[in-house]
Amino acid sequence: MKSVTPIRLSAILMAAAFLFTGCEKENENRVDNQPVKARITSVIDGMSTRASGTAWAPGDRIGITATKADGTVLLSNAPYVTTDGNGTFTPEGEAFYFQDKDDVTFTAYYPCTENSNITDDGWIMFLTNGLESQKPENQPKRDVLFATTTGSSSSPDLQLRFHHCISRLVLRFLPGTGVASLDDITYELSGIRTSGIFNTLTGETIVNETSGSVGLTVPGSNASELTSPLILFPQQSEDDKTLALTMRGKTYTATFKFKENPKNGGARELAAGHSYTYNVKINNTSMTISPATIAGWEEGGNENIESTN
């Protein structure tokens, strides 16, 4: 049997210490006992409502991407659903588990779309023009939301705080001088940019430069008020916008500009997450506007419009 010299013994002990330290560091990064399941709940920042005027609806789907700090993608556009509409989301496929103690960044967007509609860097085309897209029952699918948060095995309860990436413009029609009540109103709002792209990974929107129009028929019969909200891309413009409406065979036309935003250098714009109300008072021979109460979205401002038939 060979003897172990002091030098050789020292070398063996150093090697053992190195291996032990390496294993210890590796074990420190493993989740104790077993992987930890991520639990996801959500709120809509600043409010509990969407474009439809309701909270999350049963069956609403969001797309979630999970990424480590080194760029490793653990989830990519994974669909999660709130079955009961209570803001608690569960995966449509396999649940996500933290496999180690590293932090993971989660991004989420609504409404979830298929991978085939998304570019490699996260962009999707989005349209808000046309009669169908602006119908009240379809507007929730145009109300784009985005959220991001960080979680880990030690903090697996994730709360996604969604914010609006889109703007809302509300036309509130009221009877004025010589008009006792309102019936069906058909209108067209032109000079509006109605399409753009949205990034599912960052929440960024880019509006197309081409202007278009949106229009609807607002049903009414002897109504004291009719309201028509529109979901539009955030945009800036110094140009006039034209509102043309017809009621009881009479046509009225008015032009107006977007409100100035003092928080953005006075730019006339529709800002993301803001709602802008234009109160259209229909008189016998003209239209005037008075301020309205804004609820639900962050206030963007009110505007009065003057027009004649």
Side-chain angles (χ1 to χ4, degrees):
M1 178 176 175
K2 294 183 179 180
S3 62
V4 179
T5 66
I7 295 177
R8 180 176 295 178
L9 177 61
S10 177
I12 293 172
L13 291 176
M14 289 178 64
F18 176 79
L19 292 173
F20 178 78
T21 302
C23 292
E24 185 180 52
K25 287 183 178 179
E26 182 179 353
N27 288 336
E28 282 179 355
N29 199 41
R30 291 178 180 172
V31 178
D32 295 337
N33 299 324
Q34 61 183 4
V36 178
K37 182 178 179 180
R39 296 178 290 272
I40 299 175
T41 59
S42 70
V43 296
I44 304 176
D45 205 16
M47 75 218 87
S48 60
T49 60
R50 298 179 300 153
S52 61
T54 63
W56 292 111
D60 275 344
R61 299 166 74 243
I62 60 176
I64 294 182
T65 295
T67 310
K68 280 190 170 185
D70 63 3
T72 302
V73 178
L74 305 176
L75 278 180
S76 180
N77 194 39
Y80 274 63
V81 62
T82 174
T83 304
D84 299 325
N86 59 5
T88 297
F89 285 87
T90 56
E92 288 189 344
E94 295 183 1
F96 177 83
Y97 286 83
F98 295 99
Q99 300 295 329
D100 53 43
K101 295 184 178 181
D102 291 344
D103 286 344
V104 178
T105 297
F106 294 82
T107 60
Y109 73 97
Y110 169 90
C112 183
T113 189
E114 302 301 323
N115 288 325
S116 58
N117 297 328
I118 306 176
T119 65
D120 291 341
D121 51 357
W123 291 98
I124 59 173
M125 176 64 72
F126 210 82
L127 303 175
T128 60
N129 63 331
L131 176 63
E132 288 301 315
S133 69
Q134 292 293 348
K135 284 184 176 180
E137 62 270 25
N138 295 330
Q139 285 189 9
K141 297 299 182 183
R142 301 294 183 270
D143 185 12
V144 183
L145 306 174
F146 181 79
T148 185
T149 192
T150 300
S152 65
S153 60
S154 60
S155 300
D157 292 315
L158 310 176
Q159 186 180 68
L160 294 168
R161 298 192 65 87
F162 282 90
H163 64 269
H164 291 275
C165 300
I166 212 79
S167 304
R168 183 171 67 176
L169 187 153
V170 181
L171 297 174
R172 183 170 178 246
F173 301 101
L174 300 167
T177 303
V179 177
S181 61
L182 305 176
D183 291 328
D184 291 353
I185 291 175
T186 299
Y187 73 87
E188 182 177 30
L189 180 60
S190 57
I192 302 291
R193 296 171 187 172
T194 57
S195 64
I197 54 177
F198 165 73
N199 194 296
T200 61
L201 301 177
T202 66
E204 182 183 2
T205 61
I206 300 176
V207 66
N208 287 347
E209 293 299 320
T210 303
S211 295
S213 62
V214 292
L216 286 173
T217 294
V218 186
S221 179
N222 295 319
S224 60
E225 176 184 327
L226 295 174
T227 302
S228 181
L230 300 170
I231 301 299
L232 300 170
F233 256 80
Q235 54 194 279
Q236 294 183 352
S237 174
E238 296 290 332
D239 298 334
D240 287 343
K241 313 304 168 191
T242 301
L243 173 65
L245 69 84
T246 301
M247 186 182 75
R248 299 174 188 151
K250 284 189 176 183
T251 299
Y252 303 82
T253 302
T255 60
F256 66 97
K257 295 180 183 292
F258 290 151
K259 288 282 292 181
E260 293 182 346
N261 183 359
K263 297 179 180 179
N264 192 22
R268 294 186 180 274
E269 65 178 352
L270 300 180
H274 289 64
S275 181
Y276 302 80
T277 297
Y278 293 82
N279 296 327
V280 183
K281 185 174 287 187
I282 304 173
N283 305 302
N284 188 38
T285 59
S286 66
M287 290 192 296
T288 60
I289 308 303
S290 59
T293 300
I294 297 180
W297 293 45
E298 183 178 351
E299 182 171 350
N302 309 285
E303 187 69 27
N304 294 340
I305 303 176
E306 302 286 343
S307 70
T308 58
N309 64 338

